[in-house]
Every structure is written in C-alpha cells, then in structure tokens.
Amino acid sequence: MDEITTVFVTESREQLAAMEAALLELENSPGDSDTLNAIFRSAHTIKGGAGVVECDFIVAFTHVVENALDKLRNGEIAVDGDLVAVLLACSDHINALLDVLESGMPAPAADLQADGNALLDRLQRGWLSGEGKQSDDSTPPATSDGTVESSGGGVVETDCWHISLRFGQDVLRQGMDPLSFLRYLTSLGTIVRLETLADAMPAADDMDPEACYLGFEIHFASSADKAAIERVFDFVRDECTLHILPPRSRLADYVALIKALPEDPMRLGEILVRVGALTQAELDVGLAAQQATEAAATEETAAPPLGEILVEQQVVQPELVEAAVVKQKQVGEKKAAEARLIRIQADKLDALIDLVGELVIAGAGVNLLAARSGLAELTEATSVMSRLVESIRDSALQLRMVQIGETFNRFNRVVRDVSKELGKDIELVVSGAETELDKSVVEKIGDPLMHLVRNAIDHGIEPAEARAAAGKPERGRLSLNACHDSGSIVIEVADDGGGLNREKIARKAMERGLVPAGHTLSDQEVYNLIFEPGFSTADKVSNLSGRGVGMDVVKRNIQSLRGRVEVDSQPGEGTRFTIRLPLTLAIIDGFLVGAGSAGYVVPLDMVVECLELPPQAGDSHYLNLRGEVLPFIRLRDLFEIRGEQPVRENVVVVKAAGQKAGIVVDELLGEFQTVIKPLGHLFRNLRGIGGSTILGSGEVALILDVQALIHLAAHRDEPNAILNRS
Amino acid sequence: MKTIFLVDDSATILLSISNILSKAGYGVEKAPNALDALKKFQAGVKVDLLITDLNMPGMNGIEFIKEVRKLTPYRFMPILFLTTESQQAKKAEAKAAGASGWIVKPASADELLNTIKLVMR
C-alpha cells in the first residue's frame, strides 16, 4: 500500500471514530448544529480522501451517506434513533471498506457489497427520497422555502454588472469626453440601462463650463471580467469615483471560485483579487484607506478590517468578503492543525527510542570512566552531557505518549451496543481521558479493557428489575478512570452492579480443585480466583462472556506489559478492576544497589528513601520507621547470595500501590538511567525480577520487580503463597 | 478622416506607429521633436488626437503638452503620451499637465488602436 493510501486509511479511521462519537452525542442532543457539522465534515473528509486515492467503492458509499448528512445538517430531515443507528452502521461499513482497501483487494467481497447496498437502500428509502421521515411539524418545509428564494430573486434582477461612475472635474480639460467611455464600454457588452446623474451640478453662477459634473449609474451586461471593465476607466480612475459590482450570478461564481482556491495562506485582498472579485487597483485604494485609518486609530477605536473598508467603498459585496474570510479561516485552521500534528511512522519512532537507549548505556559508560579517572573537568563535562541525554530520553519517550482518551472513547459505542443487546440501560462515565501513556501500552491495553467492560455490562450490572429491587437507580453506571500514580498509570474499570459472588466463586474453585477443600480464603484471595485459567461462574454462556476464557487472558496480557490487575468488590455495590501499568516499556530512571558482588536496579520512582539498617533490626522482618511498621526483605536472603554480610547494611524504602516495604542491600550505588532489556524466555517465571539492564561498565544488572518484592515482604508469613503471587 | 499627430524622437517608433495608424484609416502628421511639433500646432494644424513621447531632447513631452493645452483650439483635444512600465510616476505629472491618457510601449497594434478608439471623439 502506498504512503498516501496509508495516510488516508489512518486519517479515515480517526474521522470515523470522531463521527461515531459525534453520532452518539447526537442521540443526547439532537439538532446540535456543531455536532451535525462535525459528522458531516468527517464523512466529507473521508469521501474527499477516497477520491484522492481513487478508491471508488468508498467514494460511492460515502457519497450517499454524505447526502443524508447534508440533509440532516440543513434540517431537511430530523434526527431520530433509527437514523443514528443506520448512520452508525454506515460508519461501521466504511470501516469495513477501509479494511478492504488496506488489504489491497480491488473491490469489496459480494456479501460486504450487499451489506453496503442494503444500508444505502435504507438511507435512500427512509430519509433521502421525497419528504422522507419528517418527524413533526416543528421543521417547516424548508425545501420549498429555499427554492422560492432562489428563483424569486430573478423577478427584478437583471443579471448585470453595476457600474457607478462619478467623473472628476478635470476630465474635459484633460481632453477626455465622458461619452467616449460609454461608447467604448459598448465594445465589451451592452449597456442595459443608464442613468445620468447631475446632482453634483452647481448653480449656474458657480458652474465652471469647462468642468465636468457628471456621473453615471450603468447596468451593463457583459461577459468580460471585472479587470477588463475597470481598464476602460484606466485614464480617469485616479480622479473619478468608480464602483464596479458584479452581477448576482457572478456572485455565486466568485463564491465558488473562492471555495475552490488552493489552500495557501492568503490575505483577504489577495483572495478577492485572485478570483477577480476585486481588482488590484481597488485593493490598493482599500489598503491605503486602511493604513490611513490605522494611523488615525487610537487604542479604543481599532482600525476596521480590510473587508469592511472594501464593502464600504462599494467595490465588493459583503457576501464575497464573508466567503473570503471563511476561506481564510479554513486555510488558517488547516495550517494550524498541520503545524500541531506531524504524522510519522511508528517504527521510525521506535528506532529513535532504541538509539536513545543505546545512547543512555553509552553515556553511563562514559560517566563511569570519568568518575574513575578522577578528572574534575571531565566529570563536570560528562555530568552536563548526561543531563542532556536524560532530557533527550524524556523527550523521545514523550513522543510516544498518547492520551488514553481515544481508547476510552471506543467504549462509548461498545457500552451502547452491548447494553442495547442485553436490554440494560447503562451510562458510561469516563474520567482522566487526558492521561498519557506509551503508545505501545495503549495498543495492547485495548483488548483487556474491552473484556473487562463487556464483563461488567454482562455480569456486573444487574438487569433493571434487579436494580430497582435492590433500591438502586435503574440506570447502571460503568466508569472508566485513568490517572498517574508514582511512575505507573492506573486504569480503573468500575461498575455499580451486584459485586462478585464470593460464595459462588469459592464453590466453583473447590469444584475445580483450584483450592483444597476446607481451606479458608480471604475475600481478596477469593476474588483473585477469577483470574485463574478456565474459571467462570456464569451459569449460562452468553454471546458476550461466560465461556471461561477471558480473565486469565486479561491478566496475562496485563502482566506482559509489566503491569498487574487487581479486583475489589463490595457485595451489592459493585466491582472495581484496577490495572496498574508502567508508563513506558523502554527506559527508566534506576537506582543501583549492590548485594554481594552483583548490582541490582530499583526503579527510581518507587524509591521513597534510603536509610541504614538499624543494628537492632536483627533477624526480624520488620523495622520501626518513625513509628511506622516497615516490613523488609533482604536481597541476600531472597536471592541466596553467599558470602560475608557487610557490617553496615542499607534499607531502600520502596512504595508501590500505596504499600511500603524495605529492601535490604549491601551498598547504595546511586541513580542512573536504565534501558530495560526483557528477560529471556527461560526466566519468565522468576519472581522478584522484572528485567535486566546493561551497566556502563558492561556488566549486567537485574531490575527488581518492586511490586512483587513488596508483596513478598508483606506476606512472607502467610502459607498460601500460591494465591498471592502476581 | 480623423488626423492623429505623432511626436517622437525615435524614427522607428514614428514609422511603426504611423504605419499602424495609416492602415487603420487615420491621417497621420509627424514631428521628430516637440519644438517642431509645437510650431505646427501654433500654426493651427488640423488634428483630432495628439500622441507624444515624454522623453525627448529639447522640449520634453510634459512641457510640450502644457504648451499645446494653452492653445485655444486644442484645449479639449485628447492627448495620449507614450510611456513605459517603469515610468509610472510620470503618468500623474503628465495627467496634471493636461494629458488624457497613455499608451504603454511597446504596444500591440490592437492595444494602440483600442486606446485611440477610447479617447477619440
């Protein structure tokens, strides 16, 4: 697929997403013109783009949709649920057509084509043909109104140029005859009507017989352009007052011309001159007038814009100025939008980030050598450099950050469709849509989220009768929330449904042998069972969920992103899934510690403080941190590192998910930037280790999985560790 | 037949313009400089239109136009001057001196004849 087609497909998908969002919006506020326009624009953009990439089947389909939207926009047809449903289906169909285009097939398959035709047929019969579904009498028959106006204009309108001319007094003395202009004018067209104006003629006593006091109002039928007509008056135009206004029919032509201008940034005057509505000479006069008023303008009275001046000087009609201003704004907006966004291939970004990773490692190497050399100047130079590298790293990573809102928005549609299918009334509340996270994470989080959302609608939120019986509002509520929390992003999917059925889960788990019979579990442990493979409590398998495939996949997907998912539930009040993900997958600020002969890296944003291990802590697993109980874990114990324990041990206090713990290490080696290298397949199930990195010295250091360590530190005494691992 | 009086110090221009004018059916009077031309005007030559260059040795075109305008028979006669694109400033000066309009050199036969048609009574 060539580049332009790729861009078109990407753009169109965005437009479709926007259109879909707007269509859903429309259900809530029918008749909102901004929304209607937005929808129309999306369809229009797609059609236009499809034309450029010569994808006829998209053009053909979108054209009809656009027609319908145009009527909708103009109030000729009214918004109703059916129409929105059809338009949503059309949006889906365009998406499918984009798939076809993307796959390189020359035309959609027969069944898809048939689907499309059926949709168009529905649109055509339901809304496009004739009066369509005029919903009520609130909209007057706008169509007939419009036609009356357009034809009615012709009653008095002679489709003529209007030339208004007042000669300067010196015309005769300069050897010019006013009549000769009129005579010459007839070589360009026909003078339909002429009115001689003698209002400037003074009383006989004051009259200079050699001066010219005449003026003409001329209706002139001609196919010549404005500049040609103006040229006739070239010799007198400095002394006379001249207004040439185009005929009515020309007006539409000019407006069309203005609209068709290429999207270059242009001044208002330039636009009008370019289409011939204004001549350069007229523009010069207007600009001079503007400069004059600008010079005279004080702070309170700003100089009027050129458009106003031109209209006042009667050289252009206000309609044309308006059209030009609109054009100007469009171009400006487009330019601004272009300036705001650059499209680049994702793999180029990835390559950049890889390189930045290498740069970070190389920088660490230089730092190390500089520190060893003991040269103060060198150390200083490298510290400046490493600061820059850090900024480059952050900016590079920032490039890949996208807002999660776009992902969230997809769920508006999902919630609408699924809840309709199930006959439930559910409202989706989204917050924190502006929260940013790495694009690679966003791409992978969509599926798990989809699963959680569908689950919440299907299992979580009860049918309306059950809700009413429980004294809850009939309308169910599903909320999606995202926020940042100490170096991770937290995404919550919460419903206000019945909550997880603790007994049922426990019973099923026993039946399946997931838990030994007679074992007592905490609520949390029971709830976590739903993430076990093949676990389902649904009595019947629905279209949406209940097949027992899902939650374990959700969990696995999230874990593969170095994230974790937790579930919390209150019977009768609802269920909340909390997904915690690292902000980025590539590079982190690390804190290097030593235990034995090896180095370990703790993600810096999880480090709260460092302190010396008080000697009295001894072999207990808790210490008193300013009155707070802090469980700790020795890396030496955990990884069974042999060798002499140092006299002085240090505690790194880490915090994740609101929980604090201490990690006891031999040495604190300071912070540095770390490129995360994933662990090999073999080490996938290793606990407490999240990855590896290469130090400046070339040595490998392991990156600690702080969340797992905290968990271990806090739950070390509990026997059923199998359920706690995560 | 209308008569056009042509003044230019360039023989080439005199010839080329007078050829065009003759072919178009005008009578042509010529003078290679303003002073010679002025003498003919003072002598009361019968002319319907004057076309003069501006930049000429001896008396320049602007002075010449002023002098011609002073002569009663020619007070309302159309006067065109020959100019080039680069001489925009001269236009106003010439207009103030009493010229009716201008012809930008080099002009095609059509342009020339059209302009004449415009100002000719």
Side-chain angles (χ1 to χ4, degrees):
Chain A
M1 198 165 50
D2 58 0
E3 198 188 342
I4 179 136
T5 312
T6 316
V7 171
F8 165 68
V9 170
T10 318
E11 184 196 28
S12 301
R13 293 217 198 276
E14 283 166 15
Q15 291 291 349
L16 282 177
M19 182 165 145
E20 196 176 286
L23 279 169
L24 294 173
E25 174 91 29
L26 203 59
E27 279 197 323
N28 297 327
S29 53
D32 180 70
S33 66
D34 283 352
T35 315
L36 286 169
N37 280 327
I39 298 170
F40 175 79
R41 235 177 1 249
S42 293
H44 185 71
T45 307
I46 294 170
K47 191 183 98 176
V52 172
V53 301
E54 294 175 345
C55 178
D56 294 336
F57 55 88
I58 295 186
V59 175
F61 183 82
T62 319
H63 177 73
V64 181
V65 177
E66 191 191 358
N67 279 349
L69 290 172
D70 193 33
K71 289 202 165 192
L72 193 59
R73 187 173 66 150
N74 296 334
E76 290 168 37
I77 52 182
V79 182
D80 60 26
D82 285 354
L83 181 57
V84 171
V86 172
L87 288 173
L88 279 172
C90 288
S91 153
D92 287 345
H93 186 74
I94 296 173
N95 222 333
L97 292 178
L98 286 170
D99 290 341
V100 173
L101 176 66
E102 212 167 19
S103 70
M105 280 190 285
D111 53 337
L112 190 63
Q113 186 66 49
D115 287 352
N117 290 343
L119 277 172
L120 293 187
D121 200 39
R122 271 176 75 186
L123 268 183
Q124 202 77 44
R125 264 182 303 143
W127 292 276
L128 286 178
S129 56
E131 308 89 79
K133 286 179 76 166
Q134 288 285 352
S135 68
D136 51 56
D137 51 2
S138 68
T139 43
T143 41
S144 58
D145 229 345
T147 47
V148 166
E149 186 161 31
S150 59
S151 66
V155 175
V156 281
E157 187 65 39
T158 50
D159 202 31
C160 288
W161 291 85
H162 183 92
I163 303 169
S164 168
L165 181 65
R166 304 284 183 282
F167 284 108
Q169 296 198 356
D170 281 338
V171 166
L172 298 170
R173 280 189 282 262
Q174 285 173 347
M176 295 298 291
D177 180 355
L179 259 182
S180 64
F181 290 104
L182 299 181
R183 206 172 47 230
Y184 190 78
L185 206 53
T186 55
S187 68
L188 293 177
T190 323
I191 295 177
V192 178
R193 207 171 60 148
L194 183 123
E195 196 181 333
T196 308
L197 300 167
D199 53 337
M201 189 80 73
D205 287 350
D206 302 327
M207 199 179 95
D208 177 353
E210 287 184 7
C212 176
Y213 300 103
L214 291 179
F216 299 121
E217 294 287 338
I218 306 164
H219 280 246
F220 183 55
S222 164
S223 58
D225 62 14
K226 192 171 185 181
I229 296 175
E230 193 193 55
R231 221 172 293 134
V232 173
F233 302 98
D234 240 8
F235 294 159
V236 290
R237 83 149 297 153
D238 289 346
E239 298 91 41
C240 74
T241 324
L242 174 70
H243 304 302
I244 306 171
L245 287 179
R248 279 272 142 210
S249 61
R250 282 263 170 165
L251 220 52
D253 288 350
Y254 283 139
V255 172
L257 278 173
I258 288 174
K259 282 191 183 148
L261 277 180
E263 310 241 297
D264 297 328
M266 274 184 290
R267 314 290 299 261
L268 181 84
E270 275 178 283
I271 294 177
L272 292 170
V273 171
R274 192 117 158 224
V275 299
L278 187 71
T279 62
Q280 188 61 44
E282 287 170 338
L283 174 62
D284 291 343
V285 174
L287 286 174
Q290 190 186 31
Q291 262 170 8
T293 47
E294 238 164 47
T298 58
E299 274 182 24
E300 298 96 60
T301 59
L306 180 65
E308 252 174 53
I309 293 176
L310 293 176
V311 171
E312 206 170 291
Q313 291 180 341
Q314 295 177 20
V315 288
V316 284
Q317 275 101 329
E319 293 96 314
L320 290 180
V321 171
E322 203 164 302
V325 168
V326 166
K327 175 74 183 182
Q328 221 180 4
K329 217 165 122 196
Q330 269 173 3
V331 172
E333 274 169 4
K334 191 145 185 199
K335 287 279 153 187
E338 274 168 12
R340 279 200 300 271
L341 287 175
I342 305 174
R343 281 175 202 282
I344 44 170
Q345 301 269 334
D347 43 3
K348 281 190 192 163
L349 253 187
D350 292 344
L352 173 70
I353 299 218
D354 279 350
L355 279 176
V356 172
E358 299 296 325
L359 180 66
V360 166
I361 293 174
V366 174
N367 270 346
L368 190 77
L369 287 177
R372 272 196 203 144
S373 74
L375 292 172
E377 285 177 339
L378 183 59
T379 321
E380 203 180 311
T382 51
S383 76
V384 171
M385 196 190 72
S386 53
R387 211 176 53 235
L388 285 173
V389 170
E390 211 170 297
S391 313
I392 290 176
R393 176 204 66 181
D394 289 346
S395 320
L397 288 178
Q398 195 62 45
L399 291 179
R400 274 214 312 210
M401 296 299 239
V402 292
Q403 297 194 342
I404 197 165
E406 211 173 300
T407 312
F408 278 2
N409 284 341
R410 278 171 36 194
F411 293 109
N412 280 319
R413 178 75 186 279
V414 174
V415 170
R416 177 187 183 276
D417 288 357
V418 174
S419 55
K420 278 219 167 135
E421 190 178 325
L422 294 173
K424 293 182 182 176
D425 183 15
I426 295 172
E427 128 187 75
L428 177 71
V429 182
V430 169
S431 60
E434 68 291 338
T435 314
E436 288 190 326
L437 75 169
D438 198 289
K439 179 151 177 52
S440 53
V441 181
V442 165
E443 279 164 4
K444 291 179 187 142
I445 198 65
D447 286 350
L449 274 183
M450 179 72 82
H451 215 98
L452 292 178
V453 166
R454 281 171 169 264
N455 256 337
I457 300 170
D458 195 9
H459 301 310
I461 295 175
E462 320 90 318
E465 315 84 64
R467 292 182 65 88
K472 292 200 261 189
E474 282 194 12
R475 182 162 225 211
R477 184 184 161 98
L478 180 66
S479 69
L480 280 173
N481 175 36
C483 62
H484 282 148
D485 175 43
S486 60
S488 349
I489 177 166
V490 177
I491 303 169
E492 287 176 344
V493 181
D495 63 61
D496 68 346
L500 293 175
N501 187 332
R502 188 185 190 287
E503 307 314 318
K504 206 168 175 183
I505 296 171
R507 204 177 60 238
K508 286 256 178 180
M510 304 250 185
E511 278 169 22
R512 286 176 173 264
L514 290 169
V515 183
H519 209 96
T520 344
L521 298 172
S522 72
D523 287 357
Q524 197 60 48
E525 285 159 2
V526 172
Y527 296 150
N528 278 335
L529 282 169
I530 63 169
F531 294 114
E532 291 299 317
F535 193 89
S536 171
T537 59
D539 297 323
K540 60 172 194 262
V541 171
S542 79
N543 196 5
L544 297 164
S545 43
R547 293 194 190 87
V549 197
M551 294 311 279
D552 62 317
V553 178
V554 168
K555 183 169 178 174
R556 240 195 353 262
N557 282 347
I558 291 170
Q559 274 177 337
S560 73
L561 296 169
R562 294 198 291 115
R564 44 188 284 149
V565 53
E566 282 162 9
V567 55
D568 189 23
S569 180
Q570 296 293 327
E573 285 173 27
T575 310
R576 175 184 304 269
F577 287 89
T578 309
I579 300 168
R580 210 164 256 283
L581 293 166
L583 276 183
T584 169
L585 301 176
I587 307 175
I588 56 166
D589 271 315
F591 186 71
L592 186 64
V593 297
S597 56
Y600 299 89
V601 178
V602 184
L604 187 64
D605 42 29
M606 294 179 168
V607 175
V608 181
E609 60 180 316
C610 298
L611 49 127
E612 199 178 319
L613 183 69
Q616 67 270 24
D619 284 335
S620 72
H621 301 298
Y622 298 93
L623 64 85
N624 179 344
L625 178 69
R626 294 182 291 272
E628 201 181 321
V629 177
L630 184 78
F632 65 83
I633 192 167
R634 279 193 162 81
L635 275 195
R636 276 180 170 273
D637 294 351
L638 183 67
F639 296 137
E640 296 174 11
I641 299 165
R642 295 201 194 101
E644 193 71 7
Q645 267 195 11
V647 186
R648 207 188 121 155
E649 287 178 294
N650 293 292
V651 185
V652 181
V653 180
V654 291
K655 182 181 175 180
Q659 220 172 358
K660 271 189 194 174
I663 300 171
V664 179
V665 299
D666 293 358
E667 299 173 274
L668 305 175
L669 297 169
E671 56 184 83
F672 82 120
Q673 295 179 60
T674 310
V675 179
I676 299 175
K677 304 274 176 192
L679 287 176
H681 220 64
L682 199 58
F683 304 107
R684 199 181 241 174
N685 293 321
L686 215 51
R687 268 193 289 156
I689 299 201
S692 66
T693 186
I694 300 164
L695 300 179
S697 60
E699 287 170 70
V700 171
L702 297 174
I703 299 171
L704 298 178
D705 177 353
V706 171
Q707 283 173 351
L709 290 181
I710 291 178
H711 208 80
L712 262 159
H715 300 268
R716 64 162 70 228
D717 296 330
E718 293 167 25
N720 38 25
I722 176 198
L723 297 171
N724 287 328
R725 69 134 205 255
S726 63
Chain B
M1 187 174 68
K2 303 276 183 188
T3 305
I4 296 173
F5 201 108
L6 197 56
V7 189
D8 198 310
D9 58 326
S10 154
T12 318
I13 299 230
L14 276 186
L15 186 65
S16 69
I17 294 184
S18 63
N19 278 347
I20 295 168
L21 297 181
S22 311
K23 257 187 219 158
Y26 293 108
V28 182
E29 292 273 342
K30 287 181 283 190
N33 62 61
L35 286 170
D36 284 3
L38 190 57
K39 276 180 197 146
K40 293 200 177 173
F41 276 94
Q42 282 159 345
V45 61
K46 194 188 166 317
V47 165
D48 299 290
L49 168 69
L50 164 63
I51 299 177
T52 175
D53 192 19
L54 287 186
N55 200 359
M56 291 179 292
M59 180 182 274
N60 73 34
I62 302 218
E63 282 304 312
F64 173 56
I65 293 171
K66 280 184 187 162
E67 289 304 317
V68 173
R69 277 278 182 252
K70 284 180 192 162
L71 303 170
T72 314
Y74 309 109
R75 285 201 62 168
F76 302 106
M77 172 187 67
I79 302 177
L80 294 175
F81 57 92
L82 296 166
T83 180
T84 56
E85 275 307 327
S86 57
Q87 281 183 313
Q88 295 293 330
K90 286 265 173 158
K91 280 185 187 170
E93 209 183 327
K95 288 279 289 184
S100 316
W102 55 87
I103 293 164
V104 177
K105 289 187 290 189
S108 71
D110 276 351
E111 282 166 348
L112 183 71
L113 294 174
N114 271 332
T115 310
I116 291 171
K117 218 165 90 190
L118 172 62
V119 295
M120 186 71 85
R121 303 285 156 80

